[in-house]
Amino acid sequence: MIDDIKAIFSKNLNALMNRMGVNVSDVSDKTGIPYSTVNDWKNGKKMPRGGNLQKLADYFHVNLSDLTSEQKISNIPSNAIPFGKGFTLIPVLGEIACGDPITAEENVEEYIRISNEDLPHGELFYLRAKGNSMEPRIQNNAKVLCRVQSDVENGEIAAVLVNGDTEATLKRVKKQGDIVMLIAENNTYSPYVITKDNPARIIGKALEVTFGLYDN
């Protein structure tokens, strides 16, 4: 019975941490509870009591029952949610689950907090650049803020699904009549010509490149 309660609490705590985009260090710093203690709670090894449980409820702005009762706590209720009064959480896409909406929870590897003052309009997501095909403009592991849209203007950089809609990549879109090509910034890479036998699908427009943003 005690182990069941620990597991329920751990599940709720992890969901709330994901929803707020915080880690063990953040919770420890803001509540004054030792890091090792919060980490044990997160991993289901221990269960908080009394005052510490209330500290957590106050920190996450939830009721005590939201921490201790078995329930469904959504990690993120939508692709971008208000965070406090002045921030929004933007999803960073990881592996793409074929058939799911692009910003579905299953496709998200983390969330980044962005000030609402700097927030472009539309449905937003980050895509992590992989490799050197877009260097020097977009370096490996840079995070690129994108807006969901199914097409871009000629010459703009887009987030594009390839390999059977399972891999998202960043490329410059070139249009010549009925021909659409995906062009790398690195000229050692050949153009990717979109055809029936070599399909691709634009999922968003690149808006901003950030290097080292919230990297561990």
Side-chain angles (χ1 to χ4, degrees):
M1 182 66 176
I2 297 298
D3 289 340
D4 289 343
I5 295 174
K6 289 180 183 177
I8 291 170
F9 172 78
S10 174
K11 180 179 179 181
N12 291 339
L13 177 61
N14 276 278
L16 289 167
M17 289 173 66
N18 288 335
R19 188 167 73 181
M20 281 187 64
V22 298
N23 56 31
V24 173
S25 294
D26 295 326
V27 177
S28 175
D29 291 343
K30 295 298 183 181
T31 62
I33 300 170
Y35 177 98
S36 59
T37 300
V38 178
N39 196 51
D40 283 343
W41 295 341
K42 181 178 183 293
N43 294 324
K45 295 180 179 179
K46 294 182 179 179
M47 178 74 186
R49 298 180 182 178
N52 280 340
L53 194 61
Q54 187 61 56
K55 285 181 181 179
L56 290 175
D58 292 341
Y59 173 70
F60 289 111
H61 305 290
V62 297
N63 298 320
L64 290 176
S65 61
D66 292 324
L67 288 164
T68 58
S69 300
E70 190 165 14
Q71 57 192 295
K72 174 66 174 178
I73 297 178
S74 174
N75 288 343
I76 299 292
S78 63
N79 104 290
I81 65 171
F83 184 93
K85 294 183 178 180
F87 292 90
T88 294
L89 293 178
I90 306 298
V92 180
L93 299 191
E95 296 296 323
I96 306 298
C98 189
D100 283 342
I102 297 306
T103 53
E105 185 176 318
E106 291 79 4
N107 299 335
V108 177
E109 65 177 25
E110 63 175 308
Y111 289 83
I112 291 176
R113 284 176 286 180
I114 298 297
S115 169
N116 289 338
E117 295 181 358
D118 303 323
L119 201 65
H121 68 87
E123 185 179 2
L124 305 172
F125 64 91
Y126 275 99
L127 191 63
R128 189 191 301 272
K130 298 177 182 178
N132 65 353
S133 68
M134 294 300 286
E135 291 183 351
R137 181 179 296 273
I138 303 175
Q139 297 177 10
N140 181 47
N141 210 41
K143 292 189 179 77
V144 181
L145 182 63
C146 302
R147 177 172 54 237
V148 173
Q149 55 188 73
S150 60
D151 198 8
V152 296
E153 296 295 325
N154 184 39
E156 292 183 326
I157 295 176
V160 186
L161 282 184
V162 295
N163 293 339
D165 276 8
T166 61
E167 179 185 348
T169 185
L170 292 157
K171 292 292 183 290
R172 191 174 296 279
V173 176
K174 291 288 187 180
K175 302 177 181 179
Q176 297 179 354
D178 295 332
I179 299 174
V180 178
M181 295 182 293
L182 306 179
I183 308 295
E185 296 288 279
N186 185 337
N187 59 18
T188 63
Y189 287 79
S190 300
Y192 183 112
V193 181
I194 300 176
T195 66
K196 289 182 179 180
D197 296 326
N198 199 35
R201 181 163 62 93
I202 295 171
I203 58 172
K205 175 182 175 179
L207 303 176
E208 177 183 299
V209 181
T210 307
F211 302 99
L213 181 64
Y214 293 94
D215 283 340
N216 293 323

